[in-house]
Amino acid sequence: MKFSCFSYVLLLLVLSSSSWSALADNHQEFIQCLTHSNQTYSSSIYTPNNSSFSSIRQFSIQNLRFNTIKTPKPLVIVTPVSESEVQRVILCARKNGMHVRVRSAGHDYEGLSYVSEVPFVIVDLINLRTINVDVNDKSAWVEAGSTIGELYYRIAEKSKTLGFPAGVCPTVGVGGHFSGGGYGTMMRKYGLAADNIVDARLVDANGRILDRASMGEDLFWAIRGGGGNTFGLVLSWKIKLVDIPKEVTVFSLHKTLEQNATKLVHKWQNVASRFHKDLFIRIIINRLKSSDQGGNNKLTISASFNSLFIGGIDRLLPIMQENFPELGLRKEDCIEMSWIRSIMYFAGFPIHGSLDVLLSRVQPKTRYFKAKPDYVYQPIPEGGLEGIWRFFFEDEAKSSYVILTPYGGRMDEISPSAIPFPHRAGNLYKIQHLVYWDEEGEEVAERHISWIRRLYSYMAPFVSKFPRAAYINYRDIDIGMNNKKGYTSYMQAKVWGIKYFKNNFDGLVHVKTKVDPTNFFWNEQSIPSLTRDKKNKGEQ
Ligand code: FDA
């Protein structure tokens, strides 16, 4: 029998959220649908009866908070190996009313690519990792299961003068990262990863494979920053590569409170977004044990000024002397290296070691964590900074960080509506509040999460307001979420949507309503379809 699922689309339209539980048993039909063909369905299908199920599920879990006994598990995991297999997964999922979570490399801060309270299937893109770099065209096609480490590696294999402005941690997947924006050390010169996407291939909710020309500019706009698992399943991205010199410069200077850290952080706020575009200096703040003159241990704050300069030391030093002499940067603090070695440096790998580590999908250490984003328009006064330091001296802050990332440069030049990511001119910098822990258990988790929530409350007077802006790639479900059982209302979604997307939120709702009216692609923070909203209102 020829495979066709379209006749079942109408059936799905009449399903309400209350039908989800009845669909939990449909996974057998879903699997039969996948395998029912003259051709063998060559990708692997895993159910809890399969001995590899747990290891496949856990392999890409990057936050241990979502790897506990209580964590809801999928009914099925599929790992398609081709575009047509992905297409079939979507068609069979629709036919059988299965809820789908798409996973690229699993870095979602709230685990939304592999956890759902609705019975679900994980479509794990781990086998879709082909990267074709075209040096002459200065572009690349990257399959959505690739990591940014793999992408950087493949670019460097072909060219010493091309690079790409995406994130710092090599294990991050391009599927989620590009869908939410994606920033890294070259953002002040070249913007976000999503600013440099020129085409994409996607499977929509009707199972059609579309590219930029066939999906149209509205949908193409929405997928570059509007968040993953919302408008379709992205199969691959075409990106524009950027020019880099043969050598760039890096440095890291660590300053404690005793070395004037508060004044330096305060000054940095006034200058970092106005530096030359080639200069990126972020600050990583954490607590540190230090010894006083009597040899007694005490706690202090460390502010690490961690920098990439897209050029040589000789050009960097005068820029620093003119704009930030207080930091006291010397020639011997700086190292010149190729761009790909700077990727190793920022990832914490030995800079002369084998580049093959960039191909690994496994982080050196996976931990429990909770993070929260903020944006800053006005410098925080020194007294305000000292209030943050006090949080670091609490017990739960043993392994906590506040990371300040400068904006300005190219970020100021791009219109806030060019793509759904709206945080452009006016932002001095972004903050990531981050707390890690290693002990199991709900009580420990509760303590650390409550610590970061208190810190977030403390920050309110100092950061953006109306809305208190947030970055979707630093997903935080504390700021609001859709109903966990599949129903998304416009008003509910607007609470968090305005924070991530500001005035672009309504544009995203418009696209969603057009391309996925039945809300097939859904998660706790996906854009709502107005069709679905009206329908549910009618049902209540
Ligand atoms: P994951 O697979 O969990 O997907 C995230 C979301 O996108 C989910 O909703 C998922 O369903 C959806 N999705 C994934 N693939 C899709 C596809 N092909 N089509 C449609 N939807 C898809 N960010 C940053 O900007 N700069 C940085 O330097 C870092 N560094 C960093 C380090 C570490 C250790 C972590 C854990 C995270 C970051 N991030 C980051 C945040 C990161 O950008 C964010 O978590 C991304 O969404 C991760 O993408 P993955 O594909 O790995 O996640």
Side-chain angles (χ1 to χ4, degrees):
M1 197 175 90
K2 202 161 178 280
F3 172 78
S4 165
C5 295
F6 286 108
S7 51
Y8 292 86
V9 167
L10 275 178
L11 167 71
L12 197 82
L13 287 174
V14 297
L15 291 172
S16 71
S17 55
S18 58
S19 314
W20 284 116
S21 51
L23 294 168
D25 296 332
N26 285 14
H27 67 284
Q28 290 304 345
E29 285 84 350
F30 168 70
I31 293 170
Q32 276 164 21
C33 173
L34 288 180
T35 52
H36 182 76
S37 165
N38 290 337
Q39 296 168 337
T40 321
Y41 188 76
S42 59
S43 65
S44 302
I45 301 170
Y46 303 88
T47 67
N49 298 331
N50 187 297
S51 60
S52 319
F53 177 81
S54 287
S55 57
I56 297 280
R57 186 184 69 83
Q58 289 178 33
F59 182 74
S60 294
I61 292 183
Q62 309 287 353
N63 186 345
L64 293 184
R65 273 171 65 211
F66 306 106
N67 191 22
T68 68
I69 291 169
K70 285 192 177 166
T71 304
K73 313 290 185 294
L75 296 167
V76 187
I77 304 172
V78 286
T79 56
V81 298
S82 65
E83 289 193 343
S84 60
E85 286 192 357
V86 176
Q87 186 177 33
R88 186 175 306 176
V89 174
I90 298 304
L91 288 166
C92 289
R94 274 206 83 148
K95 174 181 171 181
N96 292 287
M98 296 299 299
H99 175 53
V100 159
R101 293 285 162 122
V102 184
R103 180 160 75 173
S104 172
H107 290 67
D108 193 286
Y109 276 20
E110 301 283 2
L112 299 192
S113 57
Y114 52 89
V115 179
S116 170
E117 303 228 344
V118 166
F120 69 113
V121 175
I122 296 179
V123 185
D124 192 320
L125 302 178
I126 192 162
N127 291 323
L128 293 182
R129 300 215 304 273
T130 304
I131 299 173
N132 286 316
V133 176
D134 182 341
V135 173
N136 293 329
D137 188 45
K138 294 188 180 178
S139 68
W141 272 104
V142 192
E143 280 193 314
S146 313
T147 63
I148 54 176
E150 288 171 311
L151 172 61
Y152 298 152
Y153 183 97
R154 297 295 168 211
I155 296 171
E157 235 177 11
K158 291 247 178 117
S159 168
K160 291 190 173 8
T161 53
L162 290 174
F164 190 68
V168 175
C169 174
T171 55
V172 166
V174 305
H177 189 60
F178 293 9
S179 296
Y183 80 89
T185 55
M186 295 206 292
M187 68 187 282
R188 301 195 64 255
K189 171 111 174 172
Y190 291 116
L192 307 173
D195 294 323
N196 292 279
I197 294 170
V198 290
D199 204 339
R201 289 175 65 77
L202 153 148
V203 183
D204 76 358
N206 292 318
R208 295 175 304 181
I209 296 183
L210 306 172
D211 64 4
R212 179 174 183 170
S214 51
M215 78 177 79
E217 288 303 304
D218 283 358
L219 179 52
F220 184 60
W221 173 81
I223 59 173
R224 289 172 294 156
N229 216 83
T230 294
F231 303 100
L233 187 158
V234 175
L235 295 162
S236 54
W237 307 101
K238 185 179 182 188
I239 55 173
K240 186 176 74 192
L241 304 179
V242 301
D243 294 316
I244 40 154
K246 284 213 168 98
E247 293 213 300
V248 298
T249 305
V250 300
F251 70 81
S252 293
L253 286 179
H254 312 281
K255 302 288 181 183
T256 61
L257 291 183
E258 295 70 26
Q259 295 164 317
N260 241 353
T262 309
K263 284 208 172 344
L264 289 169
V265 173
H266 187 258
K267 170 78 196 263
W268 173 93
Q269 298 180 98
N270 290 293
V271 292
S273 66
R274 295 207 290 264
F275 286 148
H276 189 286
K277 273 184 194 176
D278 287 341
L279 179 57
F280 168 92
I281 306 180
R282 65 174 180 170
I283 309 181
I284 302 170
I285 296 162
N286 64 333
R287 88 180 190 196
L288 198 70
K289 264 194 192 140
S290 73
S291 299
D292 62 18
Q293 284 174 343
N296 303 310
N297 277 340
K298 61 173 194 142
L299 289 179
T300 186
I301 296 293
S302 162
S304 299
F305 294 79
N306 181 219
S307 172
L308 173 78
F309 179 65
I310 307 175
I313 298 176
D314 288 351
R315 196 157 66 85
L316 167 64
L317 289 176
I319 292 179
M320 288 298 288
Q321 187 53 37
E322 192 182 327
N323 297 283
F324 199 11
E326 298 85 346
L327 192 61
L329 183 72
R330 300 160 310 165
K331 190 170 184 172
E332 51 271 36
D333 300 319
C334 306
I335 318 172
E336 284 180 342
M337 58 181 66
S338 64
W339 168 75
I340 194 70
R341 292 286 160 190
S342 79
I343 297 289
M344 298 279 282
Y345 177 83
F346 277 91
F349 294 127
I351 53 173
H352 299 297
S354 164
L355 294 178
D356 291 355
V357 289
L358 297 176
L359 301 176
S360 169
R361 297 179 80 87
V362 181
Q363 291 191 66
K365 189 172 182 192
T366 310
R367 310 175 73 184
Y368 299 86
F369 73 88
K370 170 77 188 164
K372 286 178 163 293
D374 258 322
Y375 282 91
V376 179
Y377 293 161
Q378 300 286 335
I380 301 175
E382 283 185 32
L385 295 174
E386 282 160 358
I388 305 177
W389 308 163
R390 283 194 284 278
F391 278 87
F392 277 99
F393 297 130
E394 297 185 18
D395 285 350
E396 288 74 24
K398 220 172 5 181
S399 193
S400 62
Y401 301 85
V402 168
I403 303 174
L404 315 181
T405 300
Y407 270 47
R410 181 76 186 124
M411 293 297 282
D412 279 359
E413 296 166 359
I414 299 174
S415 152
S417 59
I419 62 170
F421 178 98
H423 315 292
R424 305 290 184 170
N427 286 287
L428 295 182
Y429 61 96
K430 175 172 59 201
I431 304 182
Q432 177 171 206
H433 315 281
L434 195 51
V435 62
Y436 291 97
W437 62 99
D438 295 311
E439 307 83 6
E440 270 181 59
E442 286 178 20
E443 188 271 331
V444 185
E446 200 46 55
R447 270 197 295 114
H448 287 86
I449 292 171
S450 136
W451 176 86
I452 203 168
R453 285 181 181 152
R454 279 191 297 109
L455 172 60
Y456 188 72
S457 298
Y458 167 80
M459 294 300 293
F462 307 117
V463 297
S464 62
K465 298 172 188 65
F466 316 116
R468 185 165 182 182
Y471 173 40
I472 186 135
N473 269 347
Y474 290 164
R475 194 192 296 287
D476 176 13
I477 54 174
D478 292 355
I479 67 171
M481 62 174 168
N482 304 328
N483 185 319
K484 284 188 171 182
K485 301 289 179 194
Y487 163 56
T488 311
S489 98
Y490 172 82
M491 289 315 288
Q492 227 175 340
K494 195 164 180 165
V495 174
W496 54 263
I498 285 287
K499 295 178 180 173
Y500 288 140
F501 306 114
K502 297 190 177 174
N503 293 337
N504 296 327
F505 177 70
D506 281 342
L508 290 169
V509 173
H510 172 77
V511 177
K512 173 74 177 181
T513 305
K514 202 165 85 182
V515 304
D516 184 17
T518 64
N519 214 11
F520 173 76
F521 289 103
W522 170 87
N523 68 30
E524 287 75 3
Q525 283 185 341
S526 60
I527 300 292
S529 149
L530 289 180
T531 312
R532 191 75 182 146
D533 197 23
K534 280 187 200 131
K535 183 172 157 33
N536 276 279
K537 273 190 192 132
E539 282 165 359
Q540 280 165 359

